[in-house]
Amino acid sequence: MESTRTAVGIVGAGPAGLMLAHLLRLAGIETIILEARSREYCETRIRAGLMEQGSVDLMDEIGAAERLHREALVHGGIYIRFDGRSHHIDIKGLTSRSMFIYGQQEIVKDLIALQLAAGGEIRFDCSGVALEALDTDTPAIRYVDSAGNGVRITCDFVAGCDGFHGISRPSIPVNAIQTYDREYPFAWLGILSESPPIDPELIYVHHPDGFALFTMRSNTMSRLYLQVEVDEDIAKWSDDRIWSEFHHRLEGDETPPLIEGPILQKTILPMRSFMTAPMRFERLFLAGDAAHIVPPTGAKGMNLALADVAVLARAFETFYKSGSDEKLRGYSDTALRRSWAAARFSWWMTSLTHTFNDRLPFDNEVQLSELDYVTRSHAGAEMLAEQYVGLPIER
Ligand code: APR
Ligand code: PHB
């Protein structure tokens, strides 16, 4: 068995693990990232694509934003459509901040390339990753490398950035954490279409037959989502059926006609809210999807993952520079406060815009009234805009 050591062992090369490694590298703290999948898999996995200004600022801080600034589409507003009418929310005017469309896999590509160029270590294709001795001063990560050799890495700390299905959260004794779980009675069907966006802004649609969202990846690629049944069978959605449903839910007086294109990708996305508290067990710190997931409405998942590690990196930096573990002890409370705010917002955006079959007619009228309030009242729009654009990251 090969044996090695590092300061912070990071499990997972998603946005959280990669951003953490960069921030620590710039603070002079050594890391090794262990990733279960191949580099190619990580770089091509299609996920959300909407970045908060704060996330872009983090990419700038680590010097990874050059391509992002060249290619990202900058957005100053959104449309909310209901009752057959579109209402513009001027996010930039209300907050002086913007949103950026840039695919998560592009961020992952940029972060991996920069990390390897800077001499950082990412070990791909690790199997059997397991955490040991988390309640000692020398926690360790054990795994089998791509050649079949067993490796043990002793660390000062372990960062669990291995997503919702990783091994970090399950390595914590069940009585040491509390989890909060909420499933929604619907899913999203997402497509990537080779067709230009019909509008420069995103369009969120509340429709009696189900929510729809029009978004994009570039000037030639559209991304669209449809609310579908929770146990939907994708085989039942031919391209024709998908397009006809988008025409039905999206089109009307104020929306430009939909431009159909070849559908390059089709997936069903489950809708769930899940929170873990605290986000720490002894020497293991959870960040990103390993600790929490939010429904995709409002696209907070990746932004939340990046905010977590910004807080965590500052806590490690303080520890290594001054010996004070105060920020490490405060990590969970600080990160959870922002995470609950994002969890609440994602739940609220979902409740505001989706169609619930089990609701009373009264509830449906209240929902329409809330949509009316948010789109007509300055205070209502401001409340949405402040959270949509991203709450500040307190580090
Ligand atoms: N060992 C090593 N790596 C693992 C393991 C394991 N046992 N299990 C999972 N991983 C890897 C995954 O292959 C993935 O590359 O951990 C990484 C976790 O990355 P993400 O799932 O992208 O999670 P995170 O970095 O927290 O980013 C959150 O991802 O799911 C989206 O909407 C979410 O956009 C948000 C973002
Ligand atoms: C996306 O572009 O994938 C996206 C954008 C906004 C959302 C959700 C997803 O609210």
Side-chain angles (χ1 to χ4, degrees):
M1 157 117 28
E2 180 196 326
S3 202
T4 181
R5 74 156 278 121
T6 192
V8 180
I10 301 176
V11 189
L18 290 163
M19 177 60 75
L20 179 63
H22 280 287
L23 291 167
L24 294 183
R25 180 172 54 74
L26 293 173
I29 301 165
E30 197 188 296
T31 64
I32 298 178
I33 305 182
L34 304 176
E35 167 57 50
R37 303 289 193 150
S38 67
R39 178 175 179 180
E40 199 212 337
Y41 182 92
C42 295
E43 291 184 343
T44 49
R45 189 170 28 193
I46 296 190
R47 294 273 186 75
L50 188 64
M51 296 181 82
E52 295 173 359
Q53 175 90 54
S55 299
V56 173
D57 293 346
L58 282 170
M59 292 289 281
D60 274 322
E61 187 176 321
I62 62 163
E66 195 235 339
R67 188 165 70 101
L68 190 160
H69 285 300
R70 235 181 317 121
E71 295 181 10
L73 304 174
V74 185
H75 283 245
I78 57 170
Y79 287 97
I80 297 188
R81 196 171 160 76
F82 63 98
D83 247 354
R85 305 288 311 267
S86 291
H87 307 262
H88 189 249
I89 304 222
D90 180 9
I91 305 271
K92 178 96 196 270
L94 290 162
T95 65
S96 308
R97 290 162 80 78
S98 306
M99 301 292 288
F100 298 75
I101 285 281
Y102 192 65
Q104 181 170 316
Q105 77 276 17
E106 304 307 321
I107 297 170
V108 167
K109 267 184 222 162
D110 296 345
L111 292 177
I112 290 176
L114 183 63
Q115 181 68 0
L116 297 177
E121 229 186 299
I122 312 175
R123 302 186 181 179
F124 291 99
D125 302 298
C126 299
S127 55
V129 179
L131 308 183
E132 295 178 353
L134 294 173
D135 54 356
T136 71
D137 289 351
T138 50
I141 311 174
R142 212 186 254 279
Y143 70 96
V144 176
D145 71 14
S146 52
N149 304 311
V151 184
R152 188 174 196 274
I153 306 177
T154 307
C155 319
D156 296 335
F157 301 99
V158 176
C161 303
D162 49 350
F164 188 60
H165 301 288
I167 49 91
S168 295
R169 193 182 61 256
S171 303
I172 302 176
V174 281
N175 57 2
I177 46 166
Q178 186 159 4
T179 57
Y180 303 82
D181 202 357
R182 186 190 204 291
E183 285 179 16
Y184 295 82
F186 37 71
W188 277 12
L189 187 163
I191 65 159
L192 191 64
S193 161
E194 202 174 345
S195 49
I198 52 167
D199 195 288
E201 308 278 36
L202 273 61
I203 310 170
Y204 290 82
V205 187
H206 169 69
H207 188 281
D209 295 328
F211 169 83
L213 170 61
F214 176 83
T215 168
M216 65 209 71
R217 284 295 172 272
S218 69
N219 290 323
T220 54
M221 286 286 175
S222 297
R223 176 100 171 129
L224 296 101
Y225 300 100
L226 275 180
Q227 176 183 345
V228 293
E229 296 297 324
V230 73
D231 51 0
E232 193 65 65
D233 177 4
I234 195 132
K236 294 197 176 134
W237 287 84
S238 65
D239 292 6
D240 281 350
R241 181 174 174 206
I242 291 174
W243 285 119
S244 101
E245 199 57 34
F246 277 125
H247 283 292
H248 172 60
R249 295 191 199 177
L250 258 162
E251 278 180 357
D253 292 348
E254 288 149 331
T255 22
L258 206 55
I259 306 169
E260 293 184 20
I263 296 181
L264 305 184
Q265 204 240 13
K266 241 189 242 187
T267 29
I268 302 279
L269 290 86
M271 305 278 283
R272 186 172 198 174
S273 296
F274 184 93
M275 300 290 289
T276 307
M279 289 167 62
R280 169 188 187 174
F281 171 70
E282 303 287 350
R283 292 233 162 190
L284 168 66
F285 293 82
L286 299 179
D289 276 21
H292 39 59
I293 46 176
V294 294
T297 330
K300 289 289 162 227
M302 182 186 65
N303 295 294
L304 195 48
L306 295 176
D308 284 349
V309 297
V311 176
L312 185 56
R314 185 60 53 80
F316 282 134
E317 191 178 345
T318 306
F319 175 79
Y320 282 103
K321 289 208 168 125
S322 72
S324 161
D325 68 352
E326 198 185 324
K327 278 188 185 280
L328 282 175
R329 279 189 283 111
Y331 166 69
S332 178
D333 285 349
T334 308
L336 268 173
R337 185 174 195 187
R338 196 177 183 285
S339 303
W340 272 114
R344 193 205 71 78
F345 178 69
S346 307
W347 160 84
W348 175 77
M349 272 289 275
T350 304
S351 310
L352 180 72
T353 53
H354 285 63
T355 302
F356 292 76
N357 292 332
D358 57 352
R359 272 189 180 163
L360 298 171
F362 175 86
D363 298 333
N364 292 335
E365 293 304 317
V366 166
Q367 182 180 15
L368 288 171
S369 172
E370 187 165 19
L371 283 161
D372 188 46
Y373 173 68
V374 160
T375 50
R376 273 160 67 108
S377 146
H378 181 84
E382 198 168 38
M383 182 270 294
L384 184 149
E386 181 193 23
Q387 299 176 84
Y388 190 85
V389 87
L391 295 172
I393 305 174
E394 289 164 26
R395 298 204 246 172

